Amino acid sequence: MEDDRISYHESVRTVYKRIKEDGMTNVWDRYEAQGMGSSPDRRCTFCQGGMRCDLCSNGPCRGDALKDKRGVCGITADGMAMRMMLLRNVMGASTYQYHTNQTIKTLRATAKGETPFKITEEEKLRNFAGRLGIDSSGNIGDVALKLCDFVEEDFTREYGQSSKIVELLAPKERQELWKKIGIFPGGIQTEILRSTSSSLTNVDGNYVSLALKAMKLGVAMAYQSQIVNEYCQDIIFGLPRPHNMRVDLGVLDPDYVNILPNGHEPFLGFAMVQLARKPQWQDKAKQIGAKGLRIIANIETGQEMIQRWEMDDAFYGFTGNWIMQEAVLASGCVDVFVADMNCSMPIDPMYAEKYKFKLIPVSDLVSFEGVSDRLDYIPEKASEQAAKLLQMGIDNFKERKASVKPVTDLPMSEAVVGFSTESILDALGGKLDPLLDAIKDGTLRGVAGLVSCTTLRDTGQDSHSIAVAKELIKRDVLVLSMGCGNAAMQVGGLCSPEAKELAGPGLKAICEALGIPPVLSYGTCTDTGRIADLIAAVSAALGDVPVPDLPVVATAPEYMEQKATIDAVFALAFGLYTHVNPVPTVTGAPNLVKLLTEDCKDVTGGVMNVETDAVKAVELMLEHIENNRKKLGI
């Protein structure tokens, strides 16, 4: 692949050359090989249009809406495309909920004093419990246990019984709409069950019904999975607060024992940092010839960690997002790759053999061909498990140093990370008023929530995300970034104070006044619920303005996987103008396309923008923002 199709980042392009020299299979060459003809982006027309189904033995079937060509069962192209989208949403919601279940197990064990962690944010625990109607007085451990009991009961609430979490947290205006159109959810686990069952052959082939079920699942996921997950992680590990963090592949130094927690769950990552900061572990590393021992944050597990804990020589920095994974592993600097429940690649064992590092799954969800060693996370044994992982790194160091030539002198920079609703309020003096005033007087035109992955579709890694973000800040739109797209912003330099020079005059003035970058590092993909809670607060502060009328947009410039699709569907249910790229696999379903890009506006107030050109996409976002400003008289 040409440089501009590999990655926006120089560091990744550099290591790609090494990967090619070593003759290793890699994500870029595999992507190119999947293309048809001379285009790496071209795929089967039916698959790319969403007009294919292989759920039963009569298939695979292909649909054609223009000819009314249906599947053997009679399902239309619209039904095929929406059913597959719903199934992707089920996978995304299930994975979010798995993470949340692990967080609640960890909070429960922590409240009992059975983990190496502690309840760090007592005020947040009491406030969150209070919002859920739980008695927040008394012993803090008892409050935490009551919170765990409450949310676990809500997760399994039966069909027809409204989720208490959604009732207590969502904007009233949204709740009324969701009840009116029949998408107010019960328990998240019940909604997953019903959505999966609806997707069986010959059950629900109605694209409108399937779309409403997807939105219902999205609402349950955002409030029960995402908000509960992130707020409880805050309670244990601390609120995100702004601080500097080293980023990019230059954080990898071959002379150190380097252990990389990877995935989406930060539990063992935090436990390893706690131990790595102790002198005895640094001494152990130095005794075998290393300069020391470092925990290097990686992908979304890394995002969870760097948002909350500050860097030092033990918790040294952050590499980037998932497409960089093979570049990270091929650097010749890794001793242990700790794979939790998401975003580790099936190819990793081949890289472990070539570049001499230990590949250790730490989630019962994860398995690799040929890898038998594993250490599935148990909250009560977190410290013991973390110690085993550190020792694996120390034991691996000499072999890796002796047999693998590292790639050195890779770029490293610093980004400001750790923005949350609370820290943004702190920067504004404890109230939203300064932000609202800046929006009202036009200094800021609006706010964009960038909730994205990273993909090789149509552009190189992170290139499109950075292009969209630059266009937004140039037009005085403040960007809150989440997910793998957040790593694009951090490594790409947009989360540094110097990036204010790329912003429009209004946003630049805000950046200078508050000492912030124009793109605020707001967390991971699981923070979608957190930003919905912030938008609800903005709506209330402006006088209960309906969400669809706010000067706010959502954008996923490089969505990739199933978690992203459920996030986008929730954004539509929430009433947000939602930009997604690349074009979803529904283009062969004209009625569904019309529903998502036009008709949805009359149902929930949300609408989908699938413009692929960065400048045109942002112009359309700004048109929506400016129309809403006129509607609000600002």
Side-chain angles (χ1 to χ4, degrees):
M1 272 192 173
E2 298 298 323
D3 280 358
D4 63 348
R5 282 307 306 267
I6 295 167
S7 175
Y8 180 87
H9 312 296
E10 176 191 345
S11 58
V12 178
R13 298 195 299 267
T14 298
V15 183
Y16 173 73
K17 294 176 183 176
R18 190 256 177 88
I19 292 171
K20 292 289 287 183
E21 290 170 0
D22 288 345
M24 295 292 287
T25 176
N26 61 81
V27 67
W28 300 278
D29 293 356
R30 293 192 299 270
Y31 179 85
E32 190 170 32
Q34 288 291 333
M36 298 175 66
S38 60
S39 171
D41 302 306
R42 185 183 170 202
R43 300 289 193 271
C44 162
T45 303
F46 290 97
C47 296
Q48 205 156 8
M51 305 171 293
R52 179 189 182 278
C53 177
D54 63 355
L55 293 182
C56 84
S57 64
N58 290 307
C61 292
R62 296 171 295 176
D64 189 333
L66 295 178
K67 299 178 181 178
D68 195 27
K69 181 179 181 180
R70 299 167 178 252
V72 171
C73 68
I75 195 168
T76 64
D78 294 293
M80 281 185 189
M82 189 61 232
R83 185 165 63 184
M84 292 310 299
M85 183 185 289
L86 178 57
L87 283 172
R88 286 192 289 272
N89 290 346
V90 167
M91 286 187 274
S94 298
T95 311
Y96 277 132
Q97 185 59 29
Y98 178 92
H99 184 173
T100 304
N101 288 343
Q102 294 293 87
T103 299
I104 296 304
K105 288 179 183 177
T106 302
L107 178 57
R108 186 181 292 279
T110 300
K112 295 178 179 179
E114 296 172 349
T115 74
F117 314 126
K118 62 181 181 179
I119 293 174
T120 302
E121 299 288 349
E122 179 176 335
E123 183 179 358
K124 175 129 193 182
L125 171 56
R126 294 192 189 278
N127 287 343
F128 188 43
R131 289 183 68 188
L132 296 176
I134 300 166
D135 181 6
S136 59
S137 62
N139 179 274
I140 194 65
D142 291 340
V143 177
L145 292 174
K146 286 188 284 187
L147 174 61
C148 292
D149 291 341
F150 179 90
V151 299
E152 286 182 336
E153 180 181 359
D154 205 60
F155 295 160
T156 57
R157 205 167 295 282
E158 294 181 5
Y159 177 71
Q161 297 180 2
S162 296
S163 163
K164 298 297 182 185
I165 293 172
V166 179
E167 283 184 351
L168 292 162
L169 299 183
K172 297 303 178 187
E173 166 264 323
R174 290 287 93 186
Q175 293 190 44
E176 291 171 5
L177 172 72
W178 295 335
K179 289 175 180 176
K180 180 180 177 181
I181 63 176
I183 64 170
F184 197 100
I188 176 69
Q189 293 177 12
T190 300
E191 299 303 340
I192 289 170
L193 173 68
R194 293 183 63 82
S195 292
T196 307
S197 300
S198 296
S199 300
L200 195 73
T201 303
N202 297 335
V203 176
D204 188 346
N206 179 350
Y207 76 96
V208 175
S209 170
L210 292 166
L212 290 171
K213 287 173 181 176
M215 288 187 181
K216 190 176 185 182
L217 179 61
V219 173
M221 176 278 307
Y223 287 94
Q224 295 175 57
S225 302
Q226 292 182 335
I227 288 182
V228 169
N229 178 59
E230 284 299 344
Y231 286 7
C232 289
Q233 287 186 156
D234 288 350
I235 288 163
I236 304 169
F237 302 115
L239 284 166
R241 294 182 174 88
H243 56 276
N244 283 5
M245 180 59 62
R246 302 178 192 94
V247 297
D248 211 345
L249 298 187
V251 301
L252 296 163
D253 187 330
D255 294 328
Y256 284 80
V257 175
N258 292 303
I259 302 177
L260 278 64
N262 180 81
H264 282 237
E265 296 178 320
F267 314 120
L268 284 175
F270 281 124
M272 288 191 291
V273 171
Q274 287 179 330
L275 294 182
R277 284 173 168 169
K278 295 181 178 180
Q280 58 264 42
W281 281 102
Q282 294 298 326
D283 291 342
K284 283 185 179 184
K286 291 172 183 176
Q287 287 167 10
I288 51 95
K291 289 183 177 179
L293 185 153
R294 286 175 173 170
I295 309 301
I296 304 294
N298 212 47
I299 308 188
E300 296 288 75
T301 287
Q303 284 291 346
E304 298 279 14
M305 296 172 69
I306 66 173
Q307 297 296 330
R308 294 178 171 87
W309 286 14
E310 295 191 15
M311 65 183 181
D312 54 21
D313 204 49
F315 183 40
Y316 193 73
F318 173 74
T319 56
N321 54 32
W322 85 269
I323 284 179
M324 300 170 80
Q325 187 164 144
E326 289 159 325
V328 169
L329 301 178
S331 67
C333 301
V334 178
D335 289 296
V336 184
F337 196 69
V338 181
D340 67 54
M341 51 78 78
N342 203 183
C343 285
S344 295
M345 298 167 67
I347 202 69
D348 288 350
M350 186 181 294
Y351 275 71
E353 181 179 359
K354 175 69 175 178
Y355 299 108
K356 305 303 179 188
F357 61 87
K358 299 295 183 186
L359 176 61
I360 308 295
V362 294
S363 166
D364 57 11
L365 292 188
V366 176
S367 182
F368 300 98
E369 288 186 17
V371 175
S372 57
D373 292 339
R374 60 184 312 115
L375 201 64
D376 294 342
Y377 169 64
I378 300 171
E380 294 83 357
K381 295 184 178 181
S383 188
E384 174 188 334
Q385 292 177 323
K388 288 181 179 179
L389 293 166
L390 296 192
Q391 190 61 53
M392 288 178 190
I394 290 169
D395 294 341
N396 187 75
F397 177 78
K398 284 186 177 180
E399 181 183 4
R400 189 259 299 168
K401 279 284 286 181
S403 56
V404 181
K405 182 180 179 181
V407 182
T408 56
D409 299 320
L410 293 170
M412 179 172 65
S413 58
E414 289 192 4
V416 180
V417 301
F419 287 93
S420 61
T421 302
E422 291 88 348
S423 62
I424 290 172
L425 284 171
D426 287 345
L428 296 172
K431 295 182 179 180
L432 281 171
D433 294 358
L435 175 63
L436 300 179
D437 289 344
I439 293 173
K440 289 175 183 177
D441 67 23
T443 303
L444 288 179
R445 306 311 295 175
V447 178
L450 189 152
V451 190
S452 197
C453 309
T454 181
T455 180
L456 296 180
R457 170 69 59 180
D458 301 326
T459 62
Q461 177 215 4
D462 293 345
S463 298
H464 197 68
S465 292
I466 289 172
V468 167
K470 284 183 176 178
E471 290 296 328
L472 284 166
I473 64 175
K474 184 169 72 175
R475 290 166 168 79
D476 290 320
V477 176
L478 178 67
V479 175
L480 307 182
S481 63
M482 291 153 275
C484 269
N486 196 12
M489 306 296 110
Q490 293 159 347
V491 179
L494 297 185
C495 291
S496 66
E498 293 76 18
K500 69 183 181 183
E501 300 302 330
L502 301 174
L507 179 54
K508 181 178 179 180
I510 295 289
C511 292
E512 290 174 339
L514 298 177
I516 60 172
V519 176
L520 302 185
S521 172
Y522 201 73
T524 73
C525 54
T526 55
D527 283 288
T528 306
R530 189 196 295 267
I531 199 170
D533 213 23
L534 175 60
I535 291 171
V538 171
S539 169
L542 287 172
D544 294 323
V545 172
V547 170
D549 294 341
L550 293 171
V552 174
V553 296
T555 177
E558 294 184 36
Y559 87 89
M560 192 274 292
E561 50 105 91
Q562 298 85 357
K563 283 182 168 182
T565 62
I566 189 71
D567 287 338
V569 167
F570 165 68
L572 292 176
F574 198 57
L576 291 176
Y577 182 98
T578 304
H579 164 246
V580 298
N581 180 79
V583 177
T585 52
V586 297
T587 52
N591 292 319
L592 178 57
V593 170
K594 185 173 183 292
L595 174 65
L596 297 174
T597 60
E598 298 178 32
D599 298 345
C600 188
K601 190 172 184 179
D602 296 324
V603 180
T604 68
V607 66
M608 185 174 285
N609 164 9
V610 293
E611 173 58 57
T612 58
D613 180 88
V615 175
K616 291 179 181 177
V618 172
E619 286 174 349
L620 290 169
M621 288 185 242
L622 261 292
E623 181 180 322
H624 173 79
I625 286 173
E626 295 300 336
N627 286 340
N628 277 1
R629 291 182 62 87
K630 290 177 183 176
K631 191 182 297 184
L632 295 173
I634 58 176

